Amino acid sequence: MALLGVNIDHVATVRQARRTIEPDPVWAAVLAEIGGADGITLHLREDRRHIQDRDLRVMKETVQVRMNLEMAAEQEITDIALDVKPAKVTLVPEKREEVTTEGGLDVIANRDRVKTCVDQLMAVGIEVSLFIDPDEAQIEASKQLGVHAIELHTGRYADAETPNDQANELHILRQAGEVTTSLGLQLHMGHGLTYRNVTPIAAIPSVEELNIGHSIVARAVMVGMENAVREMKKLITD
Ligand code: PXP
């Protein structure tokens, strides 16, 4: 049964729209925890477009469930992670012009940079996951870096426009999931998952964690964070 990591970045997006102090993503994280979140995920981007350094530090002191910091494999952010020490870091690609994380990390092309970052994080006991596309060569390259987990990008599944395309993307994720677990890596998935499309993904054998943000925060605006998390948790575990 998959654990639910709730990504609270978009609570900070609303706050940053006015550069004010509300809504506070730390409050949202606490309510998500009360609603049944197994972990809180947040992305400290280099451009600081939503989550701020203060959010990360206050959340570390406040939230009891595991904190998963998403970040680029860049030294400035790595130094912050080494200082704050979240339970887990997920390395993601970052482009300034993108609306959200568009594709998986190219672990093969960026091996040295990713390895430098992974080695530093693992040396202080932080678990590391790599956010990659469901591609066998990328999974194998990730394994070689000694990471604990990989998170498979579910964006193509989420964006599929026909039932046929969606079934194909699901098949690709299932197969990549098998490769992942056969290599002894923990299997996580996320991106673009919603109340409407999450059930087949949650049913994939061996998927240990789903990270879901936008859809939960969007629903939370209507029904409150606790309720939104509770509804998603029910879909994942039923
Ligand atoms: N997992 C990773 C690695 C991400 O970068 C994101 C987006 O920040 C998510 C999961 C959550 O995606 P969404 O907001 O589409 O649910």
Side-chain angles (χ1 to χ4, degrees), residues 5-7 9-10 41-43 45 50 68 70-71 90-93 98-103 129-132 151-155 158 189-194 210-217 232:
V6 176
N7 181 317
D9 292 349
H10 293 306
T41 294
L42 70 172
H43 185 173
R45 294 184 66 105
H50 39 49
N68 171 31
E70 293 178 0
M71 53 175 260
T90 302
L91 294 180
V92 301
E98 70 193 354
V99 175
T100 180
T101 317
E102 278 163 5
S129 172
L130 303 178
F131 183 52
I132 59 173
E151 180 172 335
L152 294 179
H153 197 308
T154 49
M189 294 194 188
H191 209 283
L193 298 177
T194 70
L210 300 179
N211 284 299
I212 308 179
H214 185 267
S215 186
I216 291 177
V217 172
M232 184 58 85

Side-chain angles (χ1 to χ4, degrees), residues 61-237:
E61 300 301 322
T62 318
V63 166
Q64 301 299 313
V65 291
R66 282 160 58 82
M67 196 164 100
N68 171 31
L69 173 64
E70 293 178 0
M71 53 175 260
E74 297 293 342
Q75 195 58 47
E76 182 223 339
I77 308 285
T78 305
D79 287 341
I80 295 170
L82 293 172
D83 187 32
V84 175
K85 293 199 185 67
K88 184 174 75 155
V89 160
T90 302
L91 294 180
V92 301
E94 227 177 75
K95 286 193 231 113
R96 283 188 185 252
E97 63 279 11
E98 70 193 354
V99 175
T100 180
T101 317
E102 278 163 5
L105 185 64
D106 188 341
V107 182
I108 299 167
N110 297 288
R111 190 180 185 282
D112 292 348
R113 195 162 56 87
V114 173
K115 185 176 182 338
T116 304
C117 181
V118 168
D119 289 350
Q120 292 178 77
L121 296 167
M122 289 188 42
V124 299
I126 298 172
E127 279 181 29
V128 180
S129 172
L130 303 178
F131 183 52
I132 59 173
D133 289 324
D135 175 274
E136 199 167 330
Q138 293 289 346
I139 299 168
E140 279 163 4
S142 303
K143 169 69 183 174
Q144 283 167 15
L145 295 185
V147 295
H148 300 85
I150 58 164
E151 180 172 335
L152 294 179
H153 197 308
T154 49
R156 285 175 62 94
Y157 163 81
D159 291 342
E161 286 181 1
T162 65
N164 228 352
D165 286 351
Q166 197 181 48
N168 280 340
E169 295 300 335
L170 186 61
H171 180 68
I172 291 169
L173 286 165
R174 267 208 207 99
Q175 286 200 319
E178 275 174 29
V179 174
T180 304
T181 49
S182 72
L183 291 174
L185 292 164
Q186 279 180 35
L187 176 63
H188 304 165
M189 294 194 188
H191 209 283
L193 298 177
T194 70
Y195 295 83
R196 281 174 288 279
N197 68 18
V198 75
T199 307
I201 295 288
I204 293 177
S206 332
V207 63
E208 289 189 34
E209 180 182 307
L210 300 179
N211 284 299
I212 308 179
H214 185 267
S215 186
I216 291 177
V217 172
R219 186 161 293 202
V221 171
M222 304 296 168
V223 304
M225 186 53 109
E226 267 185 76
N227 284 333
V229 172
R230 209 168 276 131
E231 286 173 31
M232 184 58 85
K233 180 91 182 164
K234 193 166 170 0
L235 281 174
I236 288 177
T237 49

Side-chain angles (χ1 to χ4, degrees), residues 12-31:
T13 302
V14 175
R15 178 190 61 191
Q16 295 312 112
R18 285 292 174 92
R19 305 234 185 301
T20 176
I21 57 165
E22 63 186 3
D24 191 332
V26 178
W27 292 25
V30 171
L31 291 170

